[in-house]
Amino acid sequence: MIPTITAFESSPDEGQGLARDMRVRWALEEVGQPYDVRLVSFKSMKEPTHRKLHPFGQIPTYEEGDLVLFESGAIILHIAERHAGLLPEDANARARAITWMFAALNTVEPPIVEREQVLYQEHGKPWYEERLPIIEERVRARLNDLSIRLGATDWLDGAFSGGDLLMVLVLRRLEGTGILKDYPNLSTYVARGEARPAYKRAFDAQLAVFTSKQPGRLYGVA
Ligand code: GTB
């Protein structure tokens, strides 16, 4: 059965793969599962039809027959459990890979998202100048520990897994901030993820949503 996912009709990042449908697209590409995409507007996401799929009125969602899922982490885990390619066979290695999925979402991503929120929503507030460096320090503390753990290895725990998929995309949110370059092995790790053919297919697919809407722009031609 071909699953259907939802994605932004008009993503604020203009197709740079920062919206969370990218996680689902990449996972599906890694396991070789074709998928359909339903694009949703910001308005339609908040309407009852979409809220039946996603209680919080967000993307991504995942529909497969009778099954409807939301939360990108849960969707990746579902895909990884049903297809080879994102979780090891060995039970303990599998549990560790799942642990890294949670670490990406629960430990590394929160300060990164909080930093973005301070930057975009609290700019100009009286506390802004004081608060930003505090949050950046929290981000750096996580990156420092992650960098030490990753060391000189290619992936977090043996072969590439769903944990790496989520971690690479979480770290990508820091691209362009200048923070990641202070952790060379993490920069290389992100580049390694981005070099995977499945990543490229997923990236191109979500970018095509943006480029196809730009008059005079050809897909793949900036
Ligand atoms: N915990 C949920 C999950 O992991 O699935 C979070 C889902 C979520 O935040 N969805 C966002 C959304 O639907 C899109 S990904 N937002 C609309 C709303 O809440 O009304 C977050 C996102 C959006 C855009 C960019 N960007 O343009 O750079 C980056 C990240």
Side-chain angles (χ1 to χ4, degrees), residues 8 10-21 23-24 40 42 45-46 50-51 54 56-61 70-75 105 109 113 116 120 166 173:
F8 283 138
S10 187
S11 184
D13 72 348
E14 303 190 333
Q16 289 313 298
L18 296 172
R20 288 181 175 91
D21 60 293
R23 300 172 174 182
V24 183
V40 293
F42 279 95
M45 278 192 297
K46 303 301 175 196
H50 186 75
R51 280 192 191 271
H54 197 308
F56 307 111
Q58 295 185 311
I59 61 103
T61 58
F70 60 96
E71 281 301 328
S72 57
I75 297 169
L105 301 181
E109 184 170 47
V113 170
E116 285 173 13
Y120 301 126
L166 287 171
R173 292 185 77 141

Side-chain angles (χ1 to χ4, degrees), residues 10 18 29 34-35 41 43 55 63 79 88 93 96 99 107 172 176 179 190 205 210 215:
S10 187
L18 296 172
E29 291 289 352
Y35 60 99
S41 66
K43 182 170 175 286
E63 295 157 73
I79 295 166
R96 289 196 304 272
T99 301
T107 302
R172 265 204 83 221
I179 296 177
V190 171
F210 173 70

Side-chain angles (χ1 to χ4, degrees), residues 111-125 127-136 138:
I112 293 176
V113 170
E114 198 181 354
R115 179 187 167 277
E116 285 173 13
Q117 284 168 348
V118 171
L119 267 180
Y120 301 126
Q121 290 165 19
E122 298 179 27
H123 192 82
K125 303 281 185 200
W127 58 82
Y128 176 80
E129 299 294 340
E130 207 174 335
R131 185 157 146 74
L132 190 60
I134 294 172
I135 304 294
E136 288 204 351
R138 275 186 214 153

Side-chain angles (χ1 to χ4, degrees), residues 23-207:
R23 300 172 174 182
V24 183
R25 291 174 186 271
W26 186 8
L28 289 165
E29 291 289 352
E30 284 288 344
V31 303
Q33 171 63 55
Y35 60 99
D36 291 326
V37 181
R38 190 169 59 253
L39 300 176
V40 293
S41 66
F42 279 95
K43 182 170 175 286
S44 68
M45 278 192 297
K46 303 301 175 196
E47 286 167 1
T49 310
H50 186 75
R51 280 192 191 271
K52 275 192 191 139
L53 309 177
H54 197 308
F56 307 111
Q58 295 185 311
I59 61 103
T61 58
Y62 177 97
E63 295 157 73
E64 185 188 351
D66 291 342
L67 177 68
V68 178
L69 297 175
F70 60 96
E71 281 301 328
S72 57
I75 297 169
I76 306 311
L77 184 56
H78 170 78
I79 295 166
E81 281 181 331
R82 276 155 186 80
H83 302 267
L86 287 172
L87 288 175
E89 284 294 314
D90 173 76
N92 284 356
R94 202 175 177 89
R96 289 196 304 272
I98 293 170
T99 301
W100 278 114
M101 292 175 63
F102 278 85
L105 301 181
N106 287 353
T107 302
V108 180
E109 184 170 47
I112 293 176
V113 170
E114 198 181 354
R115 179 187 167 277
E116 285 173 13
Q117 284 168 348
V118 171
L119 267 180
Y120 301 126
Q121 290 165 19
E122 298 179 27
H123 192 82
K125 303 281 185 200
W127 58 82
Y128 176 80
E129 299 294 340
E130 207 174 335
R131 185 157 146 74
L132 190 60
I134 294 172
I135 304 294
E136 288 204 351
E137 210 33 60
R138 275 186 214 153
V139 171
R140 285 179 182 280
R142 292 298 189 225
L143 297 185
N144 191 54
D145 291 345
L146 185 66
S147 171
I148 290 168
R149 172 54 80 98
L150 181 67
T153 59
D154 281 358
W155 305 115
L156 289 165
D157 191 322
F160 175 84
S161 77
D164 294 297
L165 183 149
L166 287 171
M167 193 66 83
V168 164
L169 290 180
V170 163
L171 295 178
R172 265 204 83 221
R173 292 185 77 141
L174 291 167
E175 279 179 356
T177 66
I179 296 177
L180 210 52
K181 72 168 173 31
D182 293 340
Y183 307 87
N185 67 336
L186 295 184
S187 297
T188 310
Y189 172 67
V190 171
R192 194 175 294 122
E194 290 173 335
R196 291 179 73 84
Y199 175 96
K200 290 183 179 173
R201 289 194 297 274
F203 186 91
D204 288 350
Q206 59 79 39
L207 179 62

